[in-house]
Amino acid sequence: MLHNVAVIVFDGVAAFELGVLCEVFGTDRTADGFPSYRFDLCSADGKPVRCKSGFEIAPSADLTPVEDADLVAVPAHADESFVPDSVLEALRRAADRGAYIFSVCSGAYVLGDAGLLDGRECTTHWKHVDELQQRFPKAKVHCDALYIQDGNLLTSAGTAAGIDAALHLVRQEHGSAFATKLARRMVVPPHRDGGQAQFVEAPMAKAPDAPTLEPVLAWLIGSLDRPVTVEEMAARAHMAPRTFARRFRAETGTTPHDWITNQRVLLARQLLEDTELSVETIATRAGFGDAATMRHHFTKRVKATPQAYRATFRDRA
């Protein structure tokens, strides 16, 4: 059972992400029937740290509470933050004895520096996933998950995903009733599955930097509303179909079919966000042909149905 929670901070901590952990685990709600936690905000030496927003935060302890914490959490920190060796050592000891290790957003870098991501499934904010994978090549980084649990390791994406991951842990430790009640108290959705894709800003992009195929890719983006064959694409590139397919993968990293499908999903997302067109009409405009086909590809890539996606962004200006 989860009783003792230690959150580690150092200079450059993000106040909002820290606030998520404080709200879920550091607020005393026992009078309303919620579980009680011993909550410690820790720094390497117990001294105040300066957050990214410029003000100081006074921890309640040094790293001593980490030694017997059931949960050790690291909120997001600035990229240039210095991580004391004592913090990395404390994280390794906590992981070795089976404590939950939880990072919010860029806090995953700290877990990586401690060697805790090697061979483990993990995630972070979509802006950081490529760098996280490059810095820690042994990690199994997922680019589109809200949060991922791999044994005692829990990593999450951006701010709201940190709330989702924290509620997931509460649900796992204390049951759905407590988690739902806490979510209602915080006025947040009671459950978003970790595998749901991160909603990122994805306008219709210009063709990528493909020196040979860029004119063909630009033409494809303008032709998404109709069927296009590999033979037709190859003819525009003045190549044989098999040569074109090899060149396409070399310059885009994927197959023509998968690239076009992704572009159609991007167009569908844009139309769902910015118009009141029916799903059937959007399916036609995006080149899927019918709503069922669009729903299949859209849900596979976005991890949400077109209707659910539209509902999420309906009021976004």
Side-chain angles (χ1 to χ4, degrees), residues 28-42:
D28 184 359
R29 297 190 176 94
T30 53
D32 295 326
F34 287 97
S36 174
Y37 303 112
R38 189 195 78 189
F39 181 86
D40 290 290
L41 185 62
C42 307

Side-chain angles (χ1 to χ4, degrees), residues 7-14 42 63 72-92 95 101-118 122-124 128 131-132 135-136 153-155:
V7 177
I8 301 177
V9 295
F10 39 88
D11 284 337
V13 64
C42 307
L63 296 176
V72 181
V74 181
H77 285 75
D79 294 343
E80 66 275 10
S81 292
F82 169 73
V83 185
D85 288 340
S86 58
V87 168
L88 302 180
E89 293 166 1
L91 284 168
R92 285 191 285 266
I101 309 296
F102 176 18
S103 69
V104 181
C105 194
S106 60
Y109 288 121
V110 182
L111 306 194
D113 287 335
L116 302 183
L117 300 185
D118 291 355
C122 59
T123 193
T124 187
H128 303 306
E131 182 182 357
L132 187 71
R135 283 181 55 178
F136 308 107
L153 182 74
L154 183 63
T155 54

